[in-house]
Amino acid sequence: MISEQHEASLDTLFKRLEEFTGLTLKSIRNKTRARDVAIPRQVVGYVMRTYLGMSLKEVATYLLKDHSSICYYVRKHEDSMFYPPYKKLYRMLIDELETDVLKIRDKILNEKINILEKDLCTLKEQSRRLSKQFLCA
């Protein structure tokens, strides 16, 4: 199951990927090893794992790959940054994603803060009631 944060980020990621490369999610999930698909797949796998913080299993499931492929994408990233097409695509995707991901993270964190504040108010009220019961007893 993909979280709300990841789902929104993935929508942005694949929208940008399609704009830059013309490749759809379906073509990225394809088993082809052609360079014009393999490089974007490697970039996307790396971004999903490290930048979006998805687990190996989540990334592998989403891309219809084995988890070892995702491990390879992550290990290979530093070497691949010396390859201009890889580096260019990576930079373009990250630049576009950064703003969107931060907005989504802020929204989710604010929602969590609101929930925690409500929980805190509830706990304070329960504490007051218990204190009154204890003092009256």
Side-chain angles (χ1 to χ4, degrees):
M1 177 100 182
I2 303 291
S3 71
E4 178 187 334
Q5 176 185 356
H6 290 150
E7 185 115 6
S9 300
L10 290 171
D11 289 343
T12 300
L13 176 64
F14 283 98
K15 180 180 171 188
R16 300 297 187 236
L17 181 70
E18 189 169 358
E19 288 173 8
F20 299 144
T21 66
L23 295 172
T24 62
L25 175 59
K26 184 178 179 180
S27 58
I28 291 294
R29 286 177 166 168
N30 194 322
K31 292 187 181 230
T32 185
R33 296 171 81 179
R35 184 172 280 194
D36 61 327
V37 177
I39 290 171
R41 182 187 304 127
Q42 185 179 343
V43 172
V44 165
Y46 176 81
V47 169
M48 291 170 70
R49 174 70 176 127
T50 58
Y51 192 77
L52 300 180
M54 295 174 69
S55 71
L56 286 173
K57 184 177 180 180
E58 287 174 320
V59 177
T61 301
Y62 197 82
L63 294 180
L64 304 179
K65 298 291 171 198
D66 189 74
H67 80 279
S68 62
S69 296
I70 310 310
C71 289
Y72 171 80
Y73 300 159
V74 173
R75 272 194 329 268
K76 187 78 173 148
H77 174 73
E78 283 188 34
D79 293 338
S80 297
M81 287 298 281
F82 291 105
Y83 183 61
Y86 181 98
K87 185 175 182 175
K88 180 179 179 184
L89 180 59
Y90 174 75
R91 293 282 180 224
M92 289 167 63
L93 290 175
I94 290 300
D95 289 347
E96 293 290 331
L97 268 180
E98 212 165 48
T99 302
D100 293 339
V101 169
L102 290 175
K103 285 179 187 175
I104 292 164
R105 284 183 184 164
D106 284 349
K107 178 184 172 192
I108 291 170
L109 287 174
N110 285 331
E111 289 171 0
K112 288 181 179 180
I113 288 170
N114 289 336
I115 290 169
L116 289 172
E117 286 174 343
K118 288 177 186 177
D119 289 348
L120 181 61
C121 288
T122 302
L123 288 171
K124 284 181 179 179
E125 185 59 36
Q126 288 174 350
S127 175
R128 283 187 202 117
R129 276 191 241 135
L130 287 172
S131 293
K132 284 182 185 178
Q133 287 176 354
F134 181 72
L135 292 173
C136 292

